Each structure stands twice: as C-alpha cells, then as structure tokens.
Amino acid sequence: EYDSDDRPVQETVKPMVDGGTEGFKGHARVIIPGMTPCFECNIWLFPPQVKFPLCTLAETPRTAAHCIEYAHLIKWDEVHSGKPFDADDTEHMQWIYSEALKRAELFGISGVTYSLTQGVVKNIIPAIASTNAIISAACALEALKLVSGCSKSVSNYLTYNGLVGTHIKVTEFVRDTDCLVCGPGTLIELDTSSTLSEFIKMLEEHPKLLMSKASVTHGGNNLYMQSPEVLEQMTRPNLSIPMFELLKGTPFATVHVSGMAESNGKKVSSLRKLRVAFKGVEEASKMDTTESS
C-alpha cells in the first residue's frame, strides 16, 4: 500500500526472495515491493517461449521435438476428438511418445525418447544438482538477511553461471514507477455518491490521465467495458451505480482502466493503475473502531 505521497507504507511491505535455475545457470533476487523492481518491471528478462510453426510440424519435421509436438498439438485432437490432454496422465504421455516415435521413423529422425517427450510437452528444463544447491543457498542467505537484519540485502539481482568456471554477478535493476503491479498508481479521490459514469468522465479531465473511452476493471471483474458490444451491454447498468457500492464499500481500492490517452499530442492506447480513495470514509472507520474498543 502507498500513502498520499506515493511512498510505500512500511507495515504493508512483504519482502520476497526468488530463485531459479536452468542447467548450469541460475539467479537469486530480492523483491521489496515499492522499493525494488518486481517481476512485471523486468518481464523482458524472461526468454521467449519456444514455439514451432504448425506448417513445419505438419509437413517438414526436422527434429525429435517437431515429432513430439506434432503428436501433442495435431495428432491428439485428430484421434481423440476434443478430449482434453492431461500431461500428468501416464497413459496420455505414453500415447504421445508412441505417436512421436512413429512419425520420427517415418521421416528418418532419431532421438525421440520418453523422457524427451515429457520435457517437450511439459516444457521441462533439465536441472543440475550443484546449480540448485548454489542458488538455494543464495536464497536462504538473503532470507536470513531480511529476517535478522544482519546485513544489507543484495541489490537486487544475482546471477550465477557455472558453465565455464564459476561466474557470479550482481546487477541492480531499476524499478518501473508506472508498473501496473508494484507501482503506486494515480490517486483518485471520490465522494461516496460518485457514480461509475462520473468516474469515467473524471478520467477525461484528470491532468495526469486525459483518458477517453475508458473501460474499468477491479479485482478481475469488469465494471464497465467499452467493447465488445455484448460486454458493453452487460456492464452498462453499472454506469449509474456509485463507485463506493461497486467497490464493496472499502475506503481504498485499486482499479485498472484502459482507453485512449494523450501522448506527445497523439491519442494512444493506454492501460493505467489507479488508487481510488473515498473522502471521509477512512476517518469514519477509525472513529467506529475507537468507539467500539
């Protein structure tokens, strides 16, 4: 949570330690919400998932993985007519392996094994025990620092590479202040009587937003959607309902809005995080708590 000056409220900060390995490589990182970057801030760090063109799988397979993906993505649906594939079902996995083996033999491709089939279908990356031990030790050390305060935490991303010798490096990544996950978002103060329609109109006039044709979501629920037409019709009745009621009567709430916003004199698609606060509600709740106690 953030205060009115966009500073994190210390008692709400929950530090997190993350670690991961891939073969001889690994990382350990410390995430302190509101102070260090979160996963979303550095989403570009994650490598893109490998995908094979369906035309290659269907017409010109060249590797064992192509044969396995053909059995998984194409052959399964052809034979089982929409029956969902369960990667944890040994019979399903055995069927994929058998079909992949047949296709590999047809095209003269070697290397299809049951373990490789599991790896391709489940996207499993082989683990190396020594790498796991080093990274788990690094994570445990950072957790000890956070709990005991015995030393400063790593700032904020440690990488390990044991492929050629041993290489350890610490990189300090920068937090995205406009992050939709860990960023404070723009503070919007409303009266408890302000309707959703008035809230959307306010977004058009807010100097930091200037957002038109806004769609509004909260906690994964659509409060109002500009499109498609079927969702617009379904959520249209909410426009006349006070935001305080739509947000379940909470003093503070986080909502996300998407629409067209001004950027360098042009209208561009934008997604923003907002902190909605209702005037007078927090003070009233504090008074009720004091009186009851």
Side-chain angles (χ1 to χ4, degrees), residues 42 139 155 203 206 227 260 278:
N42 300 139
C139 291
S155 298
L203 301 181
H206 196 287
S227 62
M260 304 302 294
F278 294 99

Side-chain angles (χ1 to χ4, degrees), residues 7-71:
R7 293 175 302 193
V9 179
Q10 291 301 316
E11 57 266 28
T12 67
V13 174
K14 296 182 180 179
M16 293 173 282
V17 179
D18 169 71
T21 64
E22 180 178 335
F24 285 99
K25 301 176 182 179
H27 80 267
R29 69 184 298 180
V30 174
I31 299 174
I32 303 178
M35 301 170 74
T36 66
C38 69
F39 283 111
E40 186 67 23
C41 291
N42 300 139
I43 196 69
W44 51 270
L45 284 172
F46 294 90
Q49 188 173 358
V50 178
K51 295 182 179 179
F52 302 112
L54 288 177
C55 57
T56 299
L57 302 182
E59 303 294 338
T60 55
R62 297 185 296 274
T63 67
H66 288 165
C67 300
I68 294 168
E69 286 289 55
Y70 171 83

Side-chain angles (χ1 to χ4, degrees), residues 56-131:
T56 299
L57 302 182
E59 303 294 338
T60 55
R62 297 185 296 274
T63 67
H66 288 165
C67 300
I68 294 168
E69 286 289 55
Y70 171 83
H72 175 214
L73 300 176
I74 299 176
K75 194 67 176 180
W76 175 271
D77 286 337
E78 286 182 357
V79 174
H80 296 87
S81 303
K83 179 182 177 181
F85 172 76
D86 183 0
D88 294 321
D89 189 314
T90 54
E91 292 185 2
H92 289 195
M93 191 64 71
Q94 183 64 44
W95 189 92
I96 295 294
Y97 166 62
S98 299
E99 290 298 318
L101 198 58
K102 293 177 185 176
R103 186 151 181 89
E105 292 174 353
L106 180 64
F107 285 87
I109 298 172
S110 60
V112 175
T113 64
Y114 185 78
S115 60
L116 179 63
T117 301
Q118 287 182 306
V120 171
V121 172
K122 293 186 176 184
N123 195 28
I124 297 173
I125 299 171
I128 295 176
S130 59
T131 307

Side-chain angles (χ1 to χ4, degrees), residues 8-265:
V9 179
Q10 291 301 316
E11 57 266 28
T12 67
V13 174
K14 296 182 180 179
M16 293 173 282
V17 179
D18 169 71
T21 64
E22 180 178 335
F24 285 99
K25 301 176 182 179
H27 80 267
R29 69 184 298 180
V30 174
I31 299 174
I32 303 178
M35 301 170 74
T36 66
C38 69
F39 283 111
E40 186 67 23
C41 291
N42 300 139
I43 196 69
W44 51 270
L45 284 172
F46 294 90
Q49 188 173 358
V50 178
K51 295 182 179 179
F52 302 112
L54 288 177
C55 57
T56 299
L57 302 182
E59 303 294 338
T60 55
R62 297 185 296 274
T63 67
H66 288 165
C67 300
I68 294 168
E69 286 289 55
Y70 171 83
H72 175 214
L73 300 176
I74 299 176
K75 194 67 176 180
W76 175 271
D77 286 337
E78 286 182 357
V79 174
H80 296 87
S81 303
K83 179 182 177 181
F85 172 76
D86 183 0
D88 294 321
D89 189 314
T90 54
E91 292 185 2
H92 289 195
M93 191 64 71
Q94 183 64 44
W95 189 92
I96 295 294
Y97 166 62
S98 299
E99 290 298 318
L101 198 58
K102 293 177 185 176
R103 186 151 181 89
E105 292 174 353
L106 180 64
F107 285 87
I109 298 172
S110 60
V112 175
T113 64
Y114 185 78
S115 60
L116 179 63
T117 301
Q118 287 182 306
V120 171
V121 172
K122 293 186 176 184
N123 195 28
I124 297 173
I125 299 171
I128 295 176
S130 59
T131 307
N132 289 346
I134 291 170
I135 295 303
S136 62
C139 291
L141 177 59
E142 294 308 317
L144 174 64
K145 292 178 185 179
L146 290 168
V147 172
S148 67
C150 65
S151 179
K152 184 179 181 295
S153 297
V154 64
S155 298
N156 45 52
Y157 194 88
L158 179 149
T159 54
Y160 164 78
N161 190 340
L163 192 60
V164 180
T166 299
H167 177 71
I168 296 176
K169 181 181 179 182
V170 174
T171 304
E172 186 170 6
F173 288 107
V174 179
R175 176 172 162 262
D176 180 3
T177 55
D178 293 326
C179 178
L180 294 173
V181 176
C182 73
T186 303
L187 178 63
I188 303 288
E189 292 187 309
L190 297 176
D191 294 318
T192 54
S193 60
S194 299
T195 64
L196 175 57
S197 179
E198 293 170 339
F199 172 70
I200 292 175
K201 181 66 176 177
M202 187 183 298
L203 301 181
E204 298 181 14
E205 302 169 353
H206 196 287
K208 291 185 178 179
L209 300 173
L210 300 176
M211 182 175 290
S212 59
K213 299 181 179 179
S215 296
V216 185
T217 62
H218 168 64
N221 297 319
N222 297 323
L223 300 185
Y224 179 70
M225 300 297 291
Q226 294 281 351
S227 62
E229 184 177 353
V230 61
L231 282 181
E232 196 282 330
Q233 292 178 354
M234 290 174 60
T235 56
R236 190 183 303 167
N238 288 341
L239 290 173
S240 59
I241 300 176
M243 282 289 287
F244 188 64
E245 182 179 336
L246 291 172
L247 299 180
K248 311 300 182 185
T250 57
F252 299 97
T254 299
V255 301
H256 290 85
V257 296
S258 59
M260 304 302 294
E262 291 279 352
S263 178
N264 297 324

